[in-house]
Amino acid sequence: MDRITLDYTNALAATIGPENGVQEASLADMQGLLSEAQAKVESRRTQDLRWLDLPYQADVHQEILRYAERMQGRFENVVVLGIGGSALGNRALHSALNSPFHELSPPAGAPRLFILDNVDPDLVGEFLDTIDPTTCLFNVISKSGSTAETMSQFLIFRRALIERLGDEGHKEHVVVTTDAQAGVLRPIVEDEGYCSFVVPEGVGGRFSVMSPVGLLSSALVGIDILGLLRGAAEMDKRCREANWDANPAKVYAAIQWQMQEQKHKNIAVTFAYGHRLRDLADWYAQLLGESIGKVKAGPDGNEHVGPTPVRAVGVTDQHSQVQLYVEGPTDKWFTMLEIGAHDHRVPIPADYGDKDALAYLGDRTLSELMAAEREGTRIALTEAARPNVSIHFPHVTAHTVGQYMYLMEYSVALMGELYGIDAFDQPGVEAGKIAAYALMGRKGFEERAAEIQQQQQRPSKGV
Ligand code: PA5
């Protein structure tokens, strides 16, 4: 059975020295804190942290699979209209588990998948110019059912469908994933009779990938969602382990916390060594940033906490970021995502054997080259005393990706306790949403609009 593993040797003082590395004993000293954090998280499992139990919702999983089966062969394209936690997991799963060229040449019967997580008119306009909406199934995803970006896209594509298919005909091209009650989408679903799925209570956007938010589009494009959920459930078991050093979530959360609080590494780089893992790093950037980037009351006033997540892709970023990572400021720590065995074996031809600069490549494979480059980067980082841990994926499968995503979710929940903040709200995001509503003239936001107007009267400076 493929099991992902976390190796933290190169984050330890014993390997890279005490200035940048954490002492194993100090991790062990956190056992009490970590157990408390775990107990707090677990006490909320059946309350407001229902995302912890998403791997076990067999009825919902079967309903999604039945829907995907009914839709098979009916649409050339599936289009996700969603943003943030209602889009990043969908993209991460698609790029990890389907071909990078899926949209050029989808497997027989499978639709293409487009994730329009921006209201940029050049993106949406180009989509309308390029793709016939009548070939699409639009999955409108919004937990709150009111996000301006998603709702405006819904209005645009709904109108495009009605113009072509009429009031009744357009309905089978829309499937909505939203809260059971809150927001404007649910009553619209009821009025129109759209097919719909529920984002369960206690499941926040960035923790919703294992709910219909992430599962529906995945099932539609042929991803093994049951494998994903099995991986998540297995990781759940590992994350409930009491001993800190047998529990990857405790180890990861403790290292993140010590790296920032004690070793002053304010930047957490996820270095995905594999093209297929790049969007998992992007997904994690939101999970970490939005969950831990908070303000809290400290003894001397407000404290602003949270690591800055950065994503990098190996080997590509060796030729872009690695110079900075090895010799630049010592304000970063690294999580390398590594793949044991790739699906493809691509041999390198042994041509130009008389040229030393090429001969060493001949009769080797791209996997060997990639592994050597990854090791090279790891060695360079470690020798420069840059703390790095590795998460090893024996293969990239739904099962291992499910383990990884659940591990990161659980770790971030523990980090919330260690940092002493609420990892599950996002007042900063809401503040931006409210300002945008006010600027767009939404009813009920007049006061905010007046405040903003006043602020905007300040003289601006620029060149
Ligand atoms: O993690 C979050 O809560 C956010 O990123 C939301 O997912 C994002 O703002 C979209 O919200 P909604 O699904 O309500 O449209």
Side-chain angles (χ1 to χ4, degrees), residues 83-86 141-147 150 204-207 286 290 426 429 433:
I83 196 164
S86 293
I141 312 178
S142 177
K143 178 181 165 59
S144 63
S146 62
T147 302
T150 306
R206 54 194 176 277
F207 292 86
Q286 186 216 14
E290 222 168 84
Q426 53 283 325
V429 179
K433 283 187 181 181

Side-chain angles (χ1 to χ4, degrees), residues 217-388:
S217 66
S218 299
L220 287 163
V221 293
I223 288 171
D224 170 19
I225 62 164
L226 296 183
L228 181 89
L229 294 156
R230 202 177 61 250
E234 287 168 18
M235 183 52 74
D236 181 27
K237 202 162 160 222
R238 293 173 70 188
C239 294
R240 289 203 238 181
E241 170 66 49
N243 291 334
W244 75 273
D245 54 353
N247 181 326
K250 284 186 173 176
V251 171
Y252 194 73
I255 292 177
Q256 166 57 62
W257 186 78
Q258 287 207 17
M259 281 297 162
Q260 184 162 31
E261 297 300 304
Q262 293 171 2
K263 303 295 164 189
H264 315 295
K265 314 294 179 209
N266 287 328
I267 300 174
V269 180
T270 301
F271 208 149
Y273 259 83
H275 189 76
R276 295 170 63 185
L277 303 182
R278 68 197 185 284
D279 291 322
L280 283 177
D282 220 18
W283 168 83
Y284 180 63
Q286 186 216 14
L287 183 69
L288 182 66
E290 222 168 84
S291 302
I292 308 298
K294 299 279 159 70
V295 55
K296 68 173 184 181
D300 309 315
N302 279 345
E303 270 180 38
H304 301 274
V305 303
T308 299
V310 165
R311 76 158 197 169
V313 178
V315 301
T316 312
D317 281 312
Q318 283 179 214
H319 299 268
S320 165
Q321 300 300 303
V322 165
Q323 170 59 35
L324 169 75
Y325 294 166
V326 172
E327 289 197 335
T330 57
D331 53 0
K332 305 170 196 65
W333 79 285
F334 301 86
T335 299
M336 297 175 81
L337 307 184
E338 60 173 43
I339 302 173
H342 293 264
D343 288 353
H344 292 81
R345 186 180 181 280
V346 183
I348 306 173
D351 295 341
Y352 299 111
D354 57 333
K355 298 194 190 314
D356 288 352
L358 298 180
Y360 73 100
L361 295 170
D363 286 335
R364 307 300 293 267
T365 65
L366 287 185
S367 300
E368 287 177 292
L369 179 59
M370 186 139 191
E373 298 212 20
R374 186 185 67 224
E375 286 317 301
T377 302
R378 198 191 332 263
I379 290 165
L381 287 172
T382 307
E383 285 180 352
R386 308 297 158 125
N388 59 91

Side-chain angles (χ1 to χ4, degrees), residues 143-191:
K143 178 181 165 59
S144 63
S146 62
T147 302
E149 294 88 341
T150 306
M151 297 315 290
S152 59
Q153 289 182 335
F154 165 63
L155 294 172
I156 291 165
F157 287 109
R158 176 179 171 274
R159 176 56 47 202
L161 285 170
I162 289 176
E163 278 166 8
R164 290 161 180 82
L165 300 169
D167 273 341
E168 255 331 284
H170 90 280
K171 292 183 182 171
E172 60 170 5
H173 290 257
V174 177
V175 55
V176 175
T177 308
T178 190
D179 192 88
Q181 276 153 9
V184 72
L185 258 180
R186 184 52 64 186
I188 290 177
V189 165
E190 309 298 336
D191 289 350

